[in-house]
Amino acid sequence: MGTRDTSNPSLKSPEEWLEKVAPEKTQGTFKLFLGYAPGVGKTYNMLSEAIRRHQRGEDIVVGVVETHGRPRTAELAEQLEVVPRRRIEYKGVVFEEMDLDGILTRKPQIVLIDELAHSNIEGSKHRKRYEDVLEVLAANIDVLATMNVQHIESVAPTVQSVTGVVIRETVPDWLVQRADEIVMADLTPEALQTRMRRGDIYGIARAEKALANFFRRGNLIALRELALQHVTKAVDRTLTAYMDAKRIEAHWAVRERVAVCISSNSSSQMLIARGARVAEGVGGELFVVHVDTDEDLPDEEKSTLASNIQFAQNLDAQVFTIKGKSVAHAAASFVREKRITHIVFGRTAVHGFRKYLYYWAIQHFLKESPNVDVHIVTQHPERE
């Protein structure tokens, strides 16, 4: 076997080439098991995956798993190494919390951390368990974690209004978006209610009360829909990142994306409202875009444009102002970049040359962005 010529720095060993092509990761991978209610199988699914990976030889430990007295979940948890919890005394009572320092000292490949929205007892290193997770990830340890959709900060008020249950523990939306992978632990509402009646979730003594309150069928349907929406968003983000990396320009968006092209005209608010209805009807995201052509607008029109943008923000639209000499060209570029599936333009009842220019602009836009549905909404000119 020959030896490598170290005098030539361009000649690298296979290991050095591999490191160059696939550099060593410096952050742990974050996988989230998301559910819509207790008992849908988040912890069970997480433990099942952990056992499979352990059997393949991966170094995996339990940081914290709450079995809630469910025998099948407890049986799975017993098959894995557990980092003992830390005991903390608070106001004369001893509490057990996940031992963050113990996990960092043990330094496994993967750690299981249940109930991400949990608030740590006073005296812990961090106030929230998800902050513990961030430190574990920063130590280049992979995390498998669980949580229910009602604990996402932006979702909690909706869940509270639907179910009447106050959500006291939440995690910020950016943390869910930080997840490298989201798996939905799913079960139909009917199957979940059956599990509840059998005593598989809380025990038979609590079943009827739970079924009459949080576990009502209408609540479960709404919660499941919210969870599915978040998983769809996560899939769309992952797909967008993949397409950007591969320079794919086709429209592969999983969710519908509705864009409204606005101006400094006050009737743009009607267009935004129409776009919002379209987005709601197709279950999509709403974008509002204004093309800045460097035209010097009077103060009154600047004020109207600001009002239009504020109106869009009030409807939770993502608002963009882009520079461009041609509205048609700039809008087409925006549609391609954001992978818009529907776009809304306004049309005033104009005549003569202005009418010709309008139709020319629309044709120019369609030539550059053929894969988008175009909605042209007639705007009646304001009367004096």
Side-chain angles (χ1 to χ4, degrees):
M1 181 181 294
T3 58
R4 184 168 65 94
D5 181 7
T6 56
S7 63
N8 187 345
S10 66
L11 295 176
K12 294 183 174 65
S13 69
E15 291 78 10
E16 288 171 330
W17 278 115
L18 181 61
E19 185 176 349
K20 183 177 178 65
V21 175
E24 184 180 355
K25 73 183 181 79
T26 57
Q27 283 270 333
T29 300
F30 179 28
K31 184 169 185 176
L32 178 62
F33 291 80
L34 183 70
Y36 69 89
V40 294
K42 303 177 301 298
T43 304
Y44 189 89
N45 288 353
M46 178 180 70
L47 285 165
S48 298
E49 175 171 327
I51 289 169
R52 290 193 299 271
R53 294 172 71 167
H54 175 67
Q55 290 170 345
R56 294 198 298 263
E58 297 183 56
D59 181 18
I60 188 162
V61 300
V62 172
V64 59
V65 162
E66 305 291 353
T67 64
H68 299 289
R70 296 164 195 161
R72 294 177 64 196
T73 303
E75 288 171 9
L76 292 183
E78 290 169 359
Q79 299 179 42
L80 296 166
E81 178 187 341
V82 178
V83 175
R85 298 193 196 189
R86 182 182 174 213
R87 295 167 65 84
I88 302 174
E89 185 175 337
Y90 178 66
K91 293 185 177 180
V93 180
V94 176
F95 296 86
E96 291 189 344
E97 292 286 8
M98 184 181 79
D99 187 357
L100 173 60
D101 290 335
I103 292 169
L104 297 175
T105 300
R106 168 65 177 76
K107 200 166 177 60
Q109 285 178 267
I110 309 157
V111 63
L112 274 57
I113 300 178
D114 214 358
E115 298 190 356
L116 203 57
H118 171 78
S119 297
N120 294 329
I121 200 68
E122 193 169 316
S124 300
K125 188 172 184 179
H126 297 296
R127 188 177 64 87
K128 299 288 291 186
R129 184 170 286 169
Y130 74 79
E131 294 174 313
D132 295 337
V133 167
L134 292 174
E135 187 165 343
V136 171
L137 292 169
N140 201 11
I141 299 171
D142 295 346
V143 173
L144 305 184
T146 70
M147 69 173 291
N148 280 326
V149 70
Q150 63 263 31
H151 295 293
I152 299 174
E153 202 166 51
S154 66
V155 176
T158 301
V159 173
Q160 187 168 324
S161 66
V162 169
T163 66
V165 175
V166 178
I167 310 299
R168 303 188 188 279
E169 297 182 314
T170 60
V171 301
D173 289 57
W174 59 259
L175 183 76
V176 180
Q177 295 167 10
R178 159 74 175 77
D180 298 284
E181 188 177 351
I182 297 180
V183 177
M184 182 166 173
D186 194 25
L187 201 62
T188 65
E190 293 77 12
L192 185 58
Q193 287 179 321
T194 299
R195 292 199 67 204
M196 176 64 75
R197 292 189 183 96
R198 287 202 309 254
D200 292 344
I201 300 174
Y202 288 146
I204 294 174
R206 295 175 58 188
E208 289 306 318
K209 185 176 180 181
L211 287 166
N213 292 286
F214 186 83
F215 281 80
R216 293 196 305 270
R217 185 170 181 271
N219 287 355
L220 298 180
I221 291 172
L223 289 167
R224 190 184 188 208
E225 173 68 17
L226 288 167
L228 287 167
Q229 287 176 6
H230 270 271
V231 173
T232 302
K233 286 180 183 178
V235 171
D236 205 17
R237 284 194 302 271
T238 303
L239 180 60
T240 298
Y242 173 82
M243 294 176 70
D244 289 343
K246 298 294 183 181
R247 303 183 184 277
I248 298 171
E249 295 186 359
H251 278 54
W252 286 6
V254 175
R255 303 186 74 215
E256 300 283 357
R257 293 178 173 183
V258 180
V260 181
C261 197
I262 67 167
S263 67
S264 58
N265 192 314
S266 60
S267 61
S268 287
Q269 293 192 19
M270 183 266 286
L271 291 182
I272 296 168
R274 176 67 67 88
R277 290 196 296 273
V278 172
E280 184 178 2
V282 298
E285 297 175 273
L286 178 62
F287 295 75
V288 168
V289 58
H290 169 250
V291 179
D292 181 359
T293 58
D294 279 336
E295 181 183 355
D296 190 16
L297 298 175
D299 289 343
E300 184 179 351
E301 289 191 30
K302 289 180 182 177
S303 176
T304 302
L305 178 59
S307 296
N308 294 343
I309 290 173
Q310 184 60 57
F311 181 75
Q313 291 171 337
N314 292 344
L315 293 177
D316 290 330
Q318 298 182 48
V319 181
F320 295 84
T321 298
I322 56 178
K323 294 276 189 180
K325 295 295 183 184
S326 161
V327 173
H329 177 73
S333 297
F334 179 80
V335 163
R336 292 194 303 272
E337 179 188 344
K338 298 298 180 183
R339 299 183 179 88
I340 301 298
T341 57
H342 300 257
I343 189 163
V344 179
F345 290 113
R347 179 177 72 88
T348 54
V350 295
H351 303 281
F353 188 63
R354 289 181 63 194
K355 182 177 181 180
Y356 167 78
L357 287 177
Y358 176 83
Y359 286 125
W360 177 88
I362 292 293
Q363 288 298 323
H364 183 63
F365 169 84
L366 289 172
K367 184 178 179 180
E368 291 197 34
S369 293
N371 297 317
V372 63
D373 293 344
V374 179
H375 303 253
I376 299 178
V377 180
T378 300
Q379 302 167 273
H380 298 286
E382 297 178 0
R383 295 177 180 175
E384 299 295 334

